[in-house]
Amino acid sequence: MYTILIWGTGHLYNANLNLIKLYEVRGDFQVIGVTSNDANMKKWVDGYRFVGKSELRGLNFDFCFVTTADFESVKHEAVLYGIDAYKLIPIRILSIPYISFEKYVLLKQSNLSILASNCWAGICYHYLGLKFLSPTINMFFGRKDFNKFLTNLEYYLSLSIESAGNRYEEDIQRYYPVGKLGDLSLYFNHYESFGEAKRCWERRKTRINKNNLLLITSTTSFEEAK
């Protein structure tokens, strides 16, 4: 049985407490303690031992449910206490229909790389609290370019992205950087600068697990035209 630390005692904790208890009754995991920044917290919270932040270093547990809205800030703070970011899980995963905690852990351990033609990969990774094991985050391809990318993946991943200027999009009313990857166009519509987009692409492409790929594509009028 997995052992769980809960991080946070605010609104999200209260909203999900019954769900956490249900999973415990089912035998999916056992909560070994709750931690938060609340200095006035008593020794026990809803039947769980309260663990002060000073006690976190060296505490043994398998995973930590983050029951605060700012998941990223918890990741940064957890590192200070020697907690591996891999152990952190957003509490929202417990409310995903038809998923068991065991299935989620198997997904987490599988090191799935999602290659998507649009922002879906990033949304999925973010929602599930998984590490970005793909460079196709916060950007999109045209449909034809994405198909070419997939059919010659090794070649395109060996190339370095070059700047192709900026593109204005009416829907978001701003310019964003465009990159060229050989003969492909990459539209980084969630980045402020080409330099930032390139750094993220180059870093994340080294993480691809080619033995476990999920390929996702879609079409829009703009993508069809490309």
Side-chain angles (χ1 to χ4, degrees):
M1 182 183 296
Y2 299 105
T3 53
I4 300 292
L5 174 72
I6 297 175
W7 189 304
T9 54
H11 169 70
L12 280 179
Y13 168 80
N14 291 323
N16 288 278
L17 181 58
N18 286 343
L19 193 54
I20 293 170
K21 294 284 188 182
L22 174 62
Y23 271 81
E24 277 198 293
V25 170
R26 284 172 30 174
D28 290 72
F29 52 71
Q30 179 183 9
V31 176
I32 55 96
V34 178
T35 191
S36 77
N37 292 324
D38 191 345
N40 297 318
M41 195 64 65
K42 297 180 180 179
K43 291 184 178 180
W44 294 90
V45 183
D46 299 313
Y48 301 133
R49 181 171 75 91
F50 181 76
V51 181
K53 293 291 180 68
S54 62
E55 302 175 71
L56 290 179
R57 189 173 294 277
L59 185 67
N60 292 320
F61 56 91
D62 295 313
F63 297 105
C64 174
F65 287 145
V66 178
T67 54
T68 68
D70 195 345
F71 187 81
E72 290 303 313
S73 69
V74 173
K75 284 174 61 176
H76 292 305
E77 186 178 359
V79 172
L80 301 178
Y81 297 104
I83 298 173
D84 190 338
Y86 171 82
K87 293 186 175 185
L88 303 179
I89 298 174
I91 192 62
R92 59 179 169 263
I93 68 101
L94 293 186
S95 60
I96 297 175
Y98 306 113
I99 191 169
S100 69
F101 187 67
E102 180 65 31
K103 286 182 179 179
Y104 174 80
V105 172
L106 289 174
L107 174 63
K108 192 174 181 68
Q109 293 173 341
S110 73
N111 293 321
L112 176 67
S113 285
I114 305 171
L115 300 180
S117 62
N118 55 24
C119 303
W120 191 90
I123 293 171
C124 187
Y125 277 122
H126 173 74
Y127 191 85
L128 294 172
L130 302 177
K131 186 175 183 179
F132 293 155
L133 302 181
S134 167
T136 62
I137 306 295
N138 296 333
M139 52 82 65
F140 68 92
F141 295 80
R143 179 178 57 83
K144 294 179 182 179
D145 278 359
F146 184 63
N147 290 342
K148 290 177 68 175
F149 175 69
L150 294 181
T151 55
N152 206 351
L153 190 60
E154 292 285 355
Y155 168 70
Y156 285 113
L157 290 177
S158 72
L159 302 179
S160 179
I161 298 177
E162 303 296 331
S163 175
N166 297 304
R167 177 176 182 269
Y168 184 80
E169 187 167 323
E170 192 66 38
D171 288 346
I172 59 177
Q173 296 188 341
R174 69 172 179 83
Y175 287 92
Y176 55 79
V178 178
K180 292 296 289 186
L181 191 66
D183 58 341
L184 308 183
S185 295
L186 279 61
Y187 300 91
F188 296 104
N189 55 327
H190 290 282
Y191 291 91
E192 295 294 331
S193 69
F194 173 74
E196 178 193 10
K198 181 175 181 177
R199 285 191 298 272
C200 290
W201 175 276
E202 295 295 335
R203 182 176 70 250
R204 291 166 181 162
K205 78 177 186 180
T206 64
R207 302 174 182 168
I208 291 179
N209 179 9
K210 295 171 186 173
N211 295 317
N212 192 18
L213 295 174
L214 175 63
L215 312 178
I216 301 294
T217 188
S218 65
T219 58
T220 66
S221 57
F222 172 72
E223 289 171 334
E224 289 285 7
K226 302 300 288 185

